[in-house]
Amino acid sequence: MTVPAPQPGPLVDEANAEQFRAWNGDEVQHWVTHIDRYEAASARFDPWLLTAAGLTATDRVLDVGCGAGRSSNAAARAAVDGHVVGLDLSAPLLALARRRAEAAGLTNATFVQGDAQVHPFQPAAFDVVLSRFGVMFFGDPSAAFANIATAVRPGGRLAMLVWQGMDRNEWLGVLFETLAAGRPLPAPAAGAPGPFGLADPDTVQRVLTDAGFVDVDLADVREPERVGADVDDAYAFMTSLGPTKGLLGGLDERARTAALDLLRNRLADRAGPDGVLLGAAAWLVTARRGDLGAR
Ligand SMILES: C[S@@+](CC[C@H](N)C(=O)[O-])C[C@H]1O[C@@H](n2cnc3c(N)ncnc32)[C@H](O)[C@@H]1O
């Protein structure tokens, strides 16, 4: 009798074990269920990333933290005679990415499960590395970017979007403001693995420079996040988010109702003909891979 060999999991650094669990466990189900909305919410940032990446037809592209592959597939359309590798921790999101690429007839995009911090990249195999909000979760950003840098040929390009601080990102800040109900709520720590892990521009400069990138530049990009078609739709989505449930925990019925009314009113303030638009700010980070010998 042949017994199927145990499937080895990807190599994951201990510092990213929690993220691996989160992006493969129950929490990712919300992303899978609402993937179109998650991706479309940030759609106004897409042209910034693609323009900065300046893809040519023959480019070999690495998309780090590709999720369900929105940016990978856009890159594959541009690099028609090249290829794109989407790398991500999350098996459920990668399965979606593969299905979508196949449905779109994109034969030059492949998707690989791995931890960018320790993934055994083939040296200098890529002309461009890009990321759409997929690089802020590393337990050790210095180690992660040093590893990513090995994958890019000298002179190759980097273009990525990362969130600025929560004070400039109403799409999450609104939850902390309206659901506080008088409590001092600690904001997610800037620099900790999570949406604001690379919010500090000096950290980004240092980490990328230490990794061997040159000409590091951060451009301040402001675009709204579209969280719903109308107030009801946005309210249903925002109240289904994990952070909302966490923030409401511990409130009694009265405080909870008042907090949720406040949230609904804020969403109503932001509703318009294009849907409910919340303020958002990203760093568009660009750089070039330096010559290894010059380091
Ligand atoms: C906010 S989502 C962005 C996904 C996608 N780029 C998008 O725009 O929809 C962050 C992604 O980064 C991935 N990620 C987090 N840590 C990672 C790591 N160490 N290596 C590879 N991917 C990682 C997650 O699994 C998740 O899919």
Side-chain angles (χ1 to χ4, degrees), residues 85-233:
V85 174
L87 180 81
D88 201 284
L89 282 179
S90 174
L93 291 176
L94 288 167
L96 266 179
R98 287 187 195 104
R99 277 212 297 278
R100 289 159 136 199
E102 198 182 316
L106 295 167
T107 53
N108 61 338
T110 51
F111 295 94
V112 176
Q113 189 182 23
D115 173 1
Q117 193 171 316
V118 288
H119 184 74
F121 292 112
Q122 194 189 324
F126 295 98
D127 302 298
V128 182
V129 56
L130 59 82
S131 181
R132 181 186 192 263
F133 302 115
V135 287
M136 304 90 74
F137 302 86
F138 303 135
D140 184 342
S142 296
F145 280 102
N147 191 44
I148 290 167
T150 64
V152 188
R153 66 160 170 82
R157 311 184 299 285
L158 172 144
M160 58 189 199
L161 286 163
V162 300
W163 294 120
Q164 296 190 32
M166 194 170 76
D167 53 331
R168 296 181 185 176
N169 278 294
E170 187 184 25
W171 56 268
L172 191 59
V174 69
L175 297 179
F176 282 74
E177 286 167 36
T178 59
L179 307 182
R183 298 168 297 174
L185 292 180
F196 307 112
L198 291 179
D200 175 40
D202 293 339
T203 302
V204 176
Q205 282 280 358
R206 176 180 50 75
V207 163
L208 290 181
T209 304
D210 289 352
F213 288 97
V214 296
D215 299 338
V216 180
D217 184 67
L218 284 79
D220 178 0
V221 178
R222 311 274 171 131
E223 294 284 1
E225 284 278 293
R226 185 179 186 275
V227 294
D230 56 29
V231 179
D232 285 342
D233 186 41

